[in-house]
Coordinates of all heavy atoms in Angstrom, one line a residue:
M1 N -23.5 23.4 -41.3 CA -24.3 24.0 -40.2 C -24.3 23.3 -39.0 O -24.2 23.7 -37.9 CB -25.8 24.2 -40.7 CG -26.5 25.3 -39.9 SD -25.8 26.9 -40.1 CE -27.1 27.9 -40.4
A2 N -24.4 21.9 -39.2 CA -24.5 21.0 -38.0 C -23.0 21.0 -37.4 O -23.0 20.9 -36.1 CB -24.8 19.6 -38.4
C3 N -22.0 21.2 -38.1 CA -20.8 21.2 -37.5 C -20.6 22.5 -36.7 O -19.9 22.4 -35.7 CB -19.6 21.2 -38.7 SG -18.0 21.2 -38.1
G4 N -21.1 23.6 -37.1 CA -21.0 24.8 -36.3 C -21.7 24.6 -35.0 O -21.3 25.2 -34.0
R5 N -22.8 24.0 -35.0 CA -23.6 23.9 -33.7 C -22.8 22.8 -32.7 O -22.6 23.2 -31.5 CB -24.9 23.2 -34.0 CG -25.9 24.1 -34.6 CD -27.2 23.6 -34.7 NE -28.1 24.4 -35.5 CZ -29.1 24.0 -36.2 NH1 -29.4 22.8 -36.4 NH2 -29.8 24.8 -36.9
R6 N -22.2 21.9 -33.3 CA -21.4 20.9 -32.4 C -20.3 21.7 -31.8 O -19.9 21.6 -30.7 CB -21.0 19.7 -33.1 CG -20.4 18.8 -32.2 CD -19.8 17.5 -32.9 NE -20.6 17.0 -34.1 CZ -20.1 16.2 -35.1 NH1 -19.0 15.9 -35.0 NH2 -20.8 15.9 -36.1
S7 N -19.6 22.5 -32.7 CA -18.4 23.3 -32.2 C -18.8 24.2 -31.1 O -18.1 24.3 -30.0 CB -17.8 24.0 -33.4 OG -16.7 24.7 -32.9
A8 N -19.9 24.9 -31.2 CA -20.4 25.9 -30.2 C -20.7 25.2 -28.8 O -20.3 25.7 -27.8 CB -21.5 26.7 -30.8
G9 N -21.4 24.0 -29.1 CA -21.7 23.2 -27.8 C -20.4 22.7 -27.1 O -20.4 22.6 -25.9
S10 N -19.4 22.3 -27.9 CA -18.2 21.8 -27.3 C -17.5 22.9 -26.6 O -16.9 22.7 -25.5 CB -17.2 21.3 -28.4 OG -17.8 20.1 -29.0
K11 N -17.5 24.1 -27.3 CA -16.8 25.3 -26.5 C -17.5 25.6 -25.3 O -16.8 25.8 -24.3 CB -16.8 26.5 -27.4 CG -15.9 26.4 -28.7 CD -15.9 27.7 -29.5 CE -15.1 27.5 -30.7 NZ -15.2 28.7 -31.6
R12 N -18.8 25.5 -25.2 CA -19.5 25.8 -24.1 C -19.2 24.8 -23.0 O -19.0 25.1 -21.8 CB -21.1 25.7 -24.4 CG -21.9 26.6 -23.5 CD -23.3 26.7 -23.9 NE -23.3 26.4 -25.4 CZ -24.4 26.5 -26.2 NH1 -25.4 27.1 -25.8 NH2 -24.3 26.3 -27.5
Q13 N -19.1 23.5 -23.3 CA -18.8 22.4 -22.3 C -17.4 22.6 -21.7 O -17.1 22.5 -20.6 CB -18.9 21.1 -23.1 CG -20.3 20.6 -23.2 CD -20.4 19.3 -23.9 OE1 -19.4 18.8 -24.5 NE2 -21.4 18.6 -23.9
V14 N -16.4 23.0 -22.6 CA -15.0 23.3 -22.1 C -15.1 24.4 -21.2 O -14.4 24.4 -20.1 CB -14.2 23.4 -23.3 CG1 -12.8 24.0 -22.8 CG2 -14.0 22.1 -24.2
I15 N -15.7 25.5 -21.5 CA -15.7 26.7 -20.7 C -16.4 26.4 -19.3 O -15.9 26.7 -18.2 CB -16.5 27.9 -21.4 CG1 -15.6 28.4 -22.5 CG2 -16.8 29.0 -20.3 CD1 -16.3 29.4 -23.4
L16 N -17.5 25.6 -19.4 CA -18.1 25.3 -18.2 C -17.3 24.4 -17.3 O -17.2 24.5 -16.1 CB -19.5 24.4 -18.5 CG -20.4 24.0 -17.4 CD1 -20.8 25.2 -16.5 CD2 -21.6 23.2 -17.8
F17 N -16.5 23.5 -18.1 CA -15.6 22.5 -17.2 C -14.5 23.4 -16.5 O -14.3 23.2 -15.3 CB -15.0 21.5 -18.1 CG -13.9 20.7 -17.5 CD1 -14.3 19.6 -16.6 CD2 -12.6 20.9 -17.7 CE1 -13.3 18.9 -16.0 CE2 -11.6 20.1 -17.1 CZ -12.0 19.1 -16.2
I18 N -14.0 24.2 -17.2 CA -12.8 25.1 -16.7 C -13.4 25.9 -15.4 O -12.8 26.1 -14.4 CB -12.2 26.0 -17.7 CG1 -11.5 25.1 -18.7 CG2 -11.4 27.1 -17.1 CD1 -11.0 25.9 -19.9
L19 N -14.6 26.5 -15.6 CA -15.3 27.3 -14.6 C -15.5 26.4 -13.4 O -15.2 27.0 -12.2 CB -16.6 27.9 -15.1 CG -17.3 28.7 -14.1 CD1 -16.5 30.0 -13.7 CD2 -18.7 29.2 -14.7
C20 N -15.9 25.2 -13.6 CA -16.2 24.3 -12.4 C -15.0 24.0 -11.6 O -14.8 24.0 -10.5 CB -16.9 23.0 -12.8 SG -18.6 23.1 -13.3
V21 N -13.9 23.7 -12.5 CA -12.6 23.4 -11.8 C -12.1 24.6 -10.9 O -11.6 24.5 -9.9 CB -11.6 23.0 -12.9 CG1 -10.2 22.9 -12.3 CG2 -11.9 21.7 -13.6
C22 N -12.2 25.8 -11.6 CA -11.8 27.1 -10.8 C -12.6 27.2 -9.6 O -12.0 27.6 -8.5 CB -11.8 28.2 -11.7 SG -10.7 28.2 -13.1
V23 N -13.8 27.1 -9.6 CA -14.7 27.3 -8.5 C -14.4 26.2 -7.5 O -14.3 26.6 -6.2 CB -16.3 27.3 -8.8 CG1 -17.1 27.1 -7.6 CG2 -16.6 28.5 -9.7
C24 N -14.3 25.0 -7.8 CA -14.0 24.0 -6.8 C -12.8 24.1 -6.2 O -12.6 23.9 -5.0 CB -14.1 22.5 -7.5 SG -15.7 22.1 -8.1
Q25 N -11.6 24.5 -6.8 CA -10.4 24.7 -6.2 C -10.3 25.9 -5.4 O -9.4 26.0 -4.5 CB -9.2 24.7 -7.3 CG -9.1 23.2 -7.9 CD -7.8 23.2 -8.7 OE1 -7.1 24.0 -8.7 NE2 -7.5 21.9 -9.2
S26 N -11.0 26.9 -5.7 CA -11.0 28.1 -4.9 C -11.5 28.0 -3.5 O -11.2 28.7 -2.6 CB -11.7 29.3 -5.5 OG -13.2 29.1 -5.6
G27 N -12.3 26.9 -3.2 CA -13.0 26.8 -1.9 C -12.0 25.8 -1.1 O -12.4 25.6 0.1
A28 N -11.1 25.2 -1.6 CA -10.3 24.3 -0.9 C -8.9 24.8 -0.6 O -8.3 25.5 -1.4 CB -10.1 22.9 -1.6
E29 N -8.4 24.5 0.6 CA -7.0 25.0 1.1 C -6.3 23.7 1.6 O -6.9 23.0 2.4 CB -7.2 26.1 2.1 CG -6.0 26.7 2.4 CD -5.4 27.7 1.4 OE1 -6.3 28.2 0.6 OE2 -4.2 27.9 1.2
T30 N -5.1 23.7 1.2 CA -4.2 22.5 1.9 C -3.1 23.1 2.7 O -2.4 24.1 2.1 CB -3.7 21.6 0.7 OG1 -4.6 21.0 -0.1 CG2 -2.8 20.6 1.3
L31 N -3.0 22.7 3.9 CA -1.9 23.2 4.7 C -1.1 22.0 5.1 O -1.5 20.9 5.3 CB -2.6 23.7 6.0 CG -3.4 24.9 5.9 CD1 -4.1 25.3 7.3 CD2 -2.7 26.1 5.3
R32 N 0.3 22.3 5.1 CA 1.2 21.2 5.5 C 2.1 21.7 6.6 O 2.5 22.9 6.6 CB 2.0 20.8 4.3 CG 1.2 20.1 3.1 CD 2.0 19.6 2.0 NE 1.3 19.3 0.9 CZ 1.0 17.9 0.8 NH1 1.3 17.1 1.7 NH2 0.2 17.5 -0.3
Y33 N 2.4 20.8 7.5 CA 3.2 21.2 8.7 C 4.4 20.2 8.8 O 4.1 19.0 8.7 CB 2.4 21.3 9.9 CG 1.3 22.4 9.9 CD1 0.0 22.0 9.6 CD2 1.7 23.7 10.1 CE1 -0.9 23.0 9.4 CE2 0.7 24.7 10.0 CZ -0.6 24.4 9.7 OH -1.5 25.3 9.6
S34 N 5.5 20.6 9.3 CA 6.5 19.7 9.7 C 6.4 19.5 11.3 O 6.3 20.4 12.1 CB 8.0 20.3 9.5 OG 8.1 20.4 8.0
L35 N 6.5 18.3 11.7 CA 6.4 17.9 13.1 C 7.6 17.4 13.7 O 8.4 16.7 13.0 CB 5.3 17.0 13.4 CG 3.9 17.4 12.6 CD1 2.9 16.3 12.9 CD2 3.4 18.6 13.4
A36 N 8.0 17.6 15.0 CA 9.1 17.0 15.6 C 8.8 15.6 15.8 O 7.6 15.1 16.2 CB 9.2 17.7 16.9
E37 N 9.8 14.8 15.8 CA 9.7 13.3 16.1 C 9.5 13.2 17.6 O 10.0 14.0 18.5 CB 10.9 12.6 15.7 CG 10.8 11.2 15.6 CD 12.1 10.5 15.0 OE1 12.8 11.2 14.3 OE2 12.2 9.3 15.2
E38 N 8.7 12.1 18.0 CA 8.4 11.8 19.4 C 7.5 12.9 19.9 O 7.5 13.1 21.2 CB 9.7 11.6 20.2 CG 10.6 10.6 19.7 CD 10.0 9.2 19.8 OE1 9.2 8.8 20.7 OE2 10.4 8.4 18.9
M39 N 6.7 13.6 19.2 CA 5.8 14.6 19.6 C 4.8 14.0 20.6 O 4.3 12.9 20.3 CB 5.1 15.2 18.5 CG 4.1 16.4 18.8 SD 3.4 17.0 17.2 CE 3.9 18.7 17.5
E40 N 4.5 14.6 21.8 CA 3.7 14.0 22.8 C 2.2 14.2 22.5 O 1.8 15.0 21.7 CB 4.0 14.6 24.1 CG 5.4 14.2 24.7 CD 5.7 14.8 26.0 OE1 4.7 15.1 26.7 OE2 6.9 15.0 26.3
R41 N 1.4 13.4 23.2 CA -0.1 13.5 23.0 C -0.6 14.9 23.4 O 0.1 15.5 24.3 CB -0.7 12.4 24.0 CG -2.1 12.4 23.9 CD -2.8 11.5 24.9 NE -4.2 11.5 24.8 CZ -5.0 10.5 25.1 NH1 -4.4 9.4 25.8 NH2 -6.2 10.5 24.9
D42 N -1.6 15.4 22.7 CA -2.1 16.6 22.8 C -1.1 17.9 22.7 O -1.5 19.0 23.0 CB -2.8 16.8 24.2 CG -4.0 15.7 24.4 OD1 -4.7 15.6 23.3 OD2 -4.2 15.2 25.5
S43 N -0.1 17.6 22.0 CA 0.9 18.7 21.6 C 0.3 19.6 20.5 O -0.4 19.1 19.6 CB 2.2 18.1 21.1 OG 2.8 17.5 22.1
L44 N 0.5 20.8 20.7 CA 0.0 21.8 19.7 C 0.8 21.6 18.4 O 2.0 21.6 18.4 CB 0.1 23.2 20.2 CG -0.1 24.4 19.2 CD1 -1.6 24.4 19.0 CD2 0.3 25.7 19.7
V45 N 0.0 21.5 17.3 CA 0.6 21.4 16.0 C 0.5 22.8 15.2 O 1.5 23.4 14.8 CB 0.0 20.4 15.1 CG1 0.5 20.4 13.8 CG2 0.1 19.0 15.8
A46 N -0.7 23.4 15.3 CA -0.8 24.7 14.7 C -2.2 25.2 15.0 O -3.1 24.4 15.5 CB -0.8 24.6 13.1
N47 N -2.5 26.5 14.7 CA -3.8 27.0 14.8 C -4.3 27.2 13.4 O -3.9 28.2 12.7 CB -3.9 28.4 15.5 CG -5.2 29.0 15.8 OD1 -6.0 28.8 14.9 ND2 -5.4 29.4 16.9
I48 N -5.1 26.3 12.9 CA -5.6 26.4 11.5 C -6.3 27.5 11.2 O -6.1 28.1 10.1 CB -6.4 25.1 11.3 CG1 -5.7 23.8 11.6 CG2 -6.9 25.0 9.8 CD1 -4.5 23.6 10.7
A49 N -7.2 28.0 11.9 CA -8.0 29.2 11.7 C -7.0 30.4 11.4 O -7.3 31.2 10.4 CB -9.1 29.6 12.8
K50 N -6.1 30.6 12.4 CA -5.1 31.7 12.2 C -4.3 31.5 10.9 O -4.2 32.5 10.3 CB -4.3 31.7 13.4 CG -3.2 32.8 13.5 CD -2.4 32.7 14.7 CE -1.3 33.8 14.8 NZ -0.6 33.8 15.9
D51 N -3.9 30.3 10.6 CA -3.0 30.2 9.4 C -3.8 30.5 8.1 O -3.3 30.9 7.2 CB -2.4 28.8 9.4 CG -1.4 28.5 10.5 OD1 -0.9 29.6 11.1 OD2 -1.0 27.4 10.7
L52 N -5.2 30.2 8.2 CA -6.0 30.4 7.0 C -6.5 31.8 7.0 O -7.0 32.3 6.0 CB -7.2 29.5 7.0 CG -6.9 28.0 6.7 CD1 -8.1 27.1 6.9 CD2 -6.4 27.8 5.3
G53 N -6.3 32.6 8.1 CA -6.8 34.0 8.2 C -8.3 34.1 8.2 O -8.9 35.0 7.8
I54 N -8.9 33.1 8.9 CA -10.4 33.1 9.2 C -10.6 32.9 10.6 O -9.7 32.6 11.5 CB -11.1 32.0 8.3 CG1 -10.6 30.6 8.8 CG2 -10.9 32.2 6.8 CD1 -11.4 29.5 8.1
S55 N -11.9 33.3 10.9 CA -12.2 33.2 12.5 C -12.6 31.6 12.8 O -13.0 30.8 11.7 CB -13.4 33.9 12.8 OG -14.6 33.5 12.1
P56 N -12.4 31.1 13.9 CA -12.8 29.8 14.3 C -14.3 29.5 13.8 O -14.6 28.3 13.5 CB -12.6 29.7 15.8 CG -11.5 30.7 16.1 CD -11.8 31.8 15.1
S57 N -15.2 30.4 14.0 CA -16.6 30.2 13.7 C -16.7 29.9 12.2 O -17.5 29.1 11.7 CB -17.4 31.3 14.1 OG -17.0 32.6 13.4
Q58 N -15.9 30.5 11.3 CA -16.0 30.2 9.9 C -15.4 28.9 9.7 O -15.9 28.2 8.7 CB -15.1 31.2 9.1 CG -15.7 32.6 9.0 CD -14.8 33.7 8.3 OE1 -13.7 33.7 8.5 NE2 -15.3 34.3 7.3
L59 N -14.5 28.4 10.5 CA -13.9 27.2 10.3 C -15.0 26.0 10.6 O -15.1 25.1 9.8 CB -12.7 27.0 11.3 CG -11.7 25.8 11.1 CD1 -11.0 26.0 9.9 CD2 -10.8 25.7 12.3
A60 N -15.8 26.2 11.6 CA -16.8 25.3 12.0 C -17.9 25.4 10.9 O -18.5 24.4 10.5 CB -17.4 25.7 13.3
A61 N -18.2 26.6 10.5 CA -19.4 26.9 9.4 C -18.9 26.0 8.1 O -19.8 25.6 7.3 CB -19.6 28.2 9.1
R62 N -17.6 26.1 7.8 CA -17.2 25.5 6.5 C -16.9 23.9 6.7 O -16.4 23.3 5.9 CB -15.9 26.1 6.0 CG -16.1 27.6 5.7 CD -14.7 28.1 5.2 NE -14.9 29.6 4.9 CZ -14.0 30.3 4.4 NH1 -12.8 29.7 4.1 NH2 -14.2 31.6 4.1
K63 N -17.1 23.4 7.8 CA -17.0 22.1 8.2 C -15.6 21.5 8.0 O -15.4 20.5 7.4 CB -18.1 21.2 7.5 CG -19.5 21.6 7.9 CD -20.6 20.8 7.1 CE -21.8 21.2 7.6 NZ -22.9 20.7 6.8
A64 N -14.7 22.2 8.6 CA -13.2 21.9 8.4 C -13.0 20.5 9.0 O -13.7 20.2 10.0 CB -12.3 22.9 9.0
R65 N -12.1 19.7 8.5 CA -11.8 18.5 9.0 C -10.3 18.1 8.6 O -9.8 18.6 7.7 CB -12.8 17.3 8.4 CG -12.8 17.3 6.9 CD -14.0 16.5 6.4 NE -14.1 16.6 5.0 CZ -13.8 15.6 4.2 NH1 -13.5 14.3 4.6 NH2 -13.9 15.7 2.8
V66 N -9.9 17.2 9.4 CA -8.6 16.6 9.1 C -8.7 15.3 8.4 O -9.5 14.4 8.9 CB -7.8 16.3 10.4 CG1 -6.4 15.7 10.1 CG2 -7.6 17.7 11.1
V67 N -8.0 15.1 7.2 CA -8.1 13.8 6.4 C -6.9 13.1 6.5 O -5.8 13.7 6.2 CB -8.4 14.2 5.0 CG1 -8.5 13.0 4.1 CG2 -9.8 15.0 4.9
S68 N -7.0 11.8 6.9 CA -5.8 11.1 7.0 C -5.7 10.0 5.9 O -6.7 9.5 5.5 CB -5.8 10.3 8.3 OG -4.7 9.5 8.5
E69 N -4.6 9.8 5.3 CA -4.3 8.7 4.3 C -4.5 7.3 4.8 O -5.0 6.4 4.1 CB -3.1 9.0 3.6 CG -3.1 10.2 2.7 CD -1.8 10.3 2.0 OE1 -0.8 9.4 1.9 OE2 -1.4 11.4 1.4
G70 N -4.1 7.2 6.1 CA -4.2 5.7 6.7 C -5.6 5.6 7.4 O -6.5 6.4 7.4
D71 N -5.6 4.4 8.0 CA -6.8 4.1 8.8 C -6.8 4.8 10.2 O -8.0 5.1 10.7 CB -6.8 2.6 9.1 CG -7.0 1.7 7.9 OD1 -7.6 2.3 6.9 OD2 -6.6 0.7 7.8
E72 N -5.7 5.1 10.7 CA -5.6 5.8 12.0 C -5.6 7.4 11.9 O -4.8 7.9 11.0 CB -4.3 5.4 12.7 CG -4.3 5.8 14.1 CD -2.9 5.2 14.8 OE1 -2.2 4.6 14.2 OE2 -2.6 5.6 15.9
Q73 N -6.4 8.1 12.6 CA -6.4 9.6 12.7 C -5.4 9.9 13.7 O -5.5 9.7 14.8 CB -7.8 10.0 13.0 CG -8.0 11.5 12.9 CD -7.9 11.9 11.4 OE1 -6.9 12.2 11.0 NE2 -9.1 12.1 10.9
L74 N -4.4 10.6 13.2 CA -3.3 11.1 14.2 C -3.4 12.4 14.8 O -2.7 12.8 15.7 CB -2.0 11.0 13.4 CG -1.5 9.7 12.7 CD1 -0.3 9.8 11.9 CD2 -1.4 8.7 13.9
F75 N -4.3 13.2 14.3 CA -4.5 14.6 14.7 C -5.9 14.9 15.1 O -6.9 14.2 14.6 CB -4.1 15.6 13.7 CG -2.6 15.3 13.3 CD1 -2.4 14.6 12.2 CD2 -1.6 15.9 14.1 CE1 -0.9 14.4 11.8 CE2 -0.3 15.7 13.7 CZ 0.0 15.0 12.6
R76 N -6.2 15.9 16.0 CA -7.5 16.3 16.5 C -7.7 17.8 16.1 O -6.8 18.5 16.4 CB -7.6 16.0 17.9 CG -8.9 16.4 18.4 CD -9.1 16.1 20.0 NE -8.9 14.7 20.2 CZ -7.9 14.2 21.0 NH1 -7.0 14.9 21.6 NH2 -7.8 12.9 21.2
L77 N -8.7 18.2 15.5 CA -9.1 19.6 15.2 C -10.1 20.1 16.0 O -11.2 19.5 16.0 CB -9.4 19.8 13.7 CG -9.8 21.3 13.3 CD1 -8.6 22.1 13.5 CD2 -10.2 21.2 11.9
N78 N -9.9 21.0 16.8 CA -11.0 21.6 17.6 C -11.6 22.8 16.8 O -10.9 23.8 16.5 CB -10.5 22.3 18.9 CG -11.5 22.8 19.8 OD1 -12.5 23.4 19.3 ND2 -11.3 22.7 21.0
Q79 N -12.8 22.6 16.2 CA -13.4 23.5 15.3 C -13.8 24.9 16.0 O -13.9 25.9 15.4 CB -14.7 23.0 14.7 CG -14.3 22.0 13.6 CD -15.5 21.5 12.8 OE1 -16.7 21.7 13.2 NE2 -15.4 20.8 11.8
N80 N -14.0 24.8 17.3 CA -14.3 25.9 18.1 C -13.1 27.0 18.2 O -13.4 28.2 18.4 CB -14.9 25.6 19.4 CG -16.2 24.8 19.3 OD1 -17.0 25.1 18.4 ND2 -16.3 23.9 20.1
T81 N -12.0 26.5 18.3 CA -10.8 27.3 18.4 C -9.8 27.3 17.2 O -9.0 28.2 17.1 CB -9.9 26.8 19.6 OG1 -9.5 25.5 19.3 CG2 -10.8 26.9 20.9
G82 N -9.9 26.3 16.4 CA -9.1 26.2 15.3 C -7.7 25.6 15.5 O -6.8 25.5 14.8
V83 N -7.6 25.0 16.7 CA -6.3 24.4 17.2 C -6.2 23.0 16.8 O -7.1 22.1 16.9 CB -6.2 24.5 18.7 CG1 -5.0 23.6 19.2 CG2 -6.1 25.9 19.2
L84 N -5.1 22.6 16.1 CA -4.8 21.2 15.7 C -3.8 20.7 16.7 O -2.8 21.3 16.9 CB -4.2 21.3 14.3 CG -3.8 20.0 13.6 CD1 -5.2 19.0 13.3 CD2 -3.2 20.1 12.4
T85 N -4.1 19.5 17.2 CA -3.2 18.8 18.1 C -2.9 17.4 17.7 O -3.7 16.8 17.0 CB -3.8 18.9 19.6 OG1 -5.1 18.2 19.5 CG2 -4.0 20.2 20.2
A86 N -1.8 16.9 18.3 CA -1.5 15.5 18.1 C -2.4 14.6 19.0 O -2.6 14.9 20.2 CB 0.0 15.1 18.4
K87 N -3.1 13.6 18.4 CA -4.1 12.9 19.1 C -3.4 11.8 20.0 O -3.9 11.5 21.1 CB -5.0 12.0 18.2 CG -6.2 11.4 18.6 CD -7.0 10.9 17.6 CE -8.3 10.2 18.2 NZ -9.2 9.7 17.2
E88 N -2.3 11.3 19.6 CA -1.5 10.4 20.4 C 0.0 10.8 20.2 O 0.3 11.7 19.4 CB -1.7 9.0 19.8 CG -3.0 8.4 19.9 CD -3.5 8.2 21.4 OE1 -2.7 7.9 22.2 OE2 -4.7 8.3 21.6
S89 N 0.9 10.2 21.1 CA 2.3 10.4 20.8 C 2.7 10.0 19.5 O 2.4 8.8 19.0 CB 3.0 9.7 21.9 OG 4.4 9.8 21.8
L90 N 3.5 10.7 18.7 CA 3.9 10.5 17.4 C 5.3 9.8 17.3 O 6.3 10.4 17.8 CB 3.8 11.6 16.5 CG 2.4 12.3 16.4 CD1 2.5 13.5 15.5 CD2 1.4 11.3 15.8
D91 N 5.3 8.5 16.8 CA 6.6 7.9 16.8 C 6.8 7.6 15.2 O 6.2 6.8 14.7 CB 6.6 6.6 17.5 CG 8.0 5.9 17.5 OD1 8.9 6.5 17.0 OD2 8.1 4.8 18.1
R92 N 7.9 8.2 14.6 CA 8.1 8.1 13.2 C 8.3 6.6 12.8 O 7.8 6.1 11.8 CB 9.3 8.9 12.7 CG 9.4 8.9 11.2 CD 10.7 9.5 10.7 NE 11.8 8.8 11.1 CZ 12.3 7.7 10.6 NH1 11.6 7.2 9.5 NH2 13.3 7.1 10.9
E93 N 9.1 5.9 13.6 CA 9.4 4.5 13.3 C 8.1 3.6 13.3 O 8.1 2.6 12.5 CB 10.4 3.9 14.3 CG 11.9 4.4 14.0 CD 12.1 5.7 14.7 OE1 11.4 6.1 15.6 OE2 13.2 6.3 14.4
E94 N 7.2 4.0 14.1 CA 5.9 3.3 14.2 C 5.0 3.6 13.0 O 4.3 2.8 12.5 CB 5.2 3.6 15.5 CG 4.0 2.7 15.8 CD 3.4 3.1 17.1 OE1 4.1 3.1 18.1 OE2 2.2 3.3 17.2
I95 N 5.0 4.9 12.7 CA 4.1 5.3 11.6 C 4.6 5.0 10.2 O 3.9 4.5 9.4 CB 3.9 6.9 11.7 CG1 3.2 7.2 13.0 CG2 3.0 7.4 10.5 CD1 3.2 8.7 13.3
C96 N 5.9 5.1 10.0 CA 6.6 4.9 8.6 C 7.8 4.0 8.9 O 8.9 4.5 8.8 CB 7.0 6.2 8.0 SG 5.7 7.4 7.8
P97 N 7.7 2.8 9.2 CA 8.8 1.9 9.6 C 9.9 1.7 8.4 O 11.0 1.5 8.9 CB 8.1 0.6 10.0 CG 6.8 0.6 9.3 CD 6.4 1.9 9.3
Q98 N 9.5 1.7 7.2 CA 10.4 1.4 6.2 C 10.9 2.7 5.4 O 11.5 2.5 4.3 CB 9.8 0.4 5.1 CG 9.3 -0.9 5.8 CD 10.5 -1.7 6.4 OE1 11.5 -1.7 6.0 NE2 10.3 -2.5 7.5
S99 N 10.7 3.8 6.0 CA 11.0 5.0 5.2 C 11.8 6.0 6.0 O 11.6 6.2 7.2 CB 9.7 5.7 4.8 OG 9.9 6.9 4.1
E100 N 12.8 6.6 5.3 CA 13.5 7.7 6.1 C 12.8 8.9 6.3 O 12.9 9.6 7.3 CB 14.8 8.0 5.2 CG 16.0 7.0 5.4 CD 17.4 7.5 4.8 OE1 17.5 8.8 4.8 OE2 18.0 6.8 4.2
T101 N 11.9 9.3 5.2 CA 11.0 10.5 5.5 C 9.6 9.9 5.7 O 9.3 8.9 5.2 CB 11.0 11.4 4.2 OG1 10.7 10.6 3.1 CG2 12.5 11.9 3.9
C102 N 8.9 10.6 6.4 CA 7.6 10.2 6.8 C 6.5 11.3 6.4 O 6.7 12.4 7.1 CB 7.5 9.8 8.3 SG 6.0 9.0 8.8
T103 N 5.6 11.0 5.6 CA 4.6 12.1 5.2 C 3.3 11.5 5.6 O 3.1 10.3 5.4 CB 4.7 12.5 3.8 OG1 4.5 11.3 3.0 CG2 6.0 13.2 3.5

């Protein structure tokens, strides 16, 4: 009898875990773009709101942000318009000096 209770509890935990993973992943979206080398400051990269198929007001309501892996933020997102721009001039040799490809 005790074994049956533990099994039912374990099944419930697994189902709850899977549900949590599905819900968490359904709210996140990852976009990737290829950029030209030597891109100038304030150059247009993309319109994030348009690419996601949402209005700019929804972008602001969802608190959209740009996450950088390094210490330096290379891009700027205008939440009112959904426009993503290069914050500074982008030089691949400066950003990724030891790599042929730069991500």
Side-chain angles (χ1 to χ4, degrees):
M1 200 64 135
C3 184
R5 286 185 189 151
R6 189 180 328 156
S7 178
S10 295
K11 286 180 184 178
R12 208 174 338 197
Q13 286 178 341
V14 170
I15 291 171
L16 182 59
F17 174 74
I18 292 171
L19 181 62
C20 287
V21 169
C22 291
V23 169
C24 290
Q25 290 196 0
S26 68
E29 187 76 30
T30 301
L31 300 174
R32 295 184 185 269
Y33 297 98
S34 296
L35 307 174
E37 197 171 337
E38 305 293 331
M39 186 174 234
E40 293 183 23
R41 179 183 186 160
D42 295 325
S43 294
L44 174 70
V45 175
N47 186 319
I48 302 295
K50 183 178 177 182
D51 292 348
L52 290 172
I54 60 175
S55 69
S57 61
Q58 286 179 314
L59 198 64
R62 294 178 184 192
K63 298 179 182 170
R65 60 194 170 109
V66 176
V67 177
S68 178
E69 288 182 12
D71 295 333
E72 187 179 357
Q73 188 69 272
L74 301 173
F75 302 97
R76 181 180 299 123
L77 176 63
N78 182 328
Q79 288 187 346
N80 297 321
T81 62
V83 172
L84 181 69
T85 56
K87 193 172 180 181
E88 298 293 331
S89 178
L90 300 179
D91 182 7
R92 188 190 66 76
E93 285 85 15
E94 187 178 310
I95 298 168
C96 306
Q98 302 297 326
S99 177
E100 280 190 39
T101 59
C102 186
T103 56

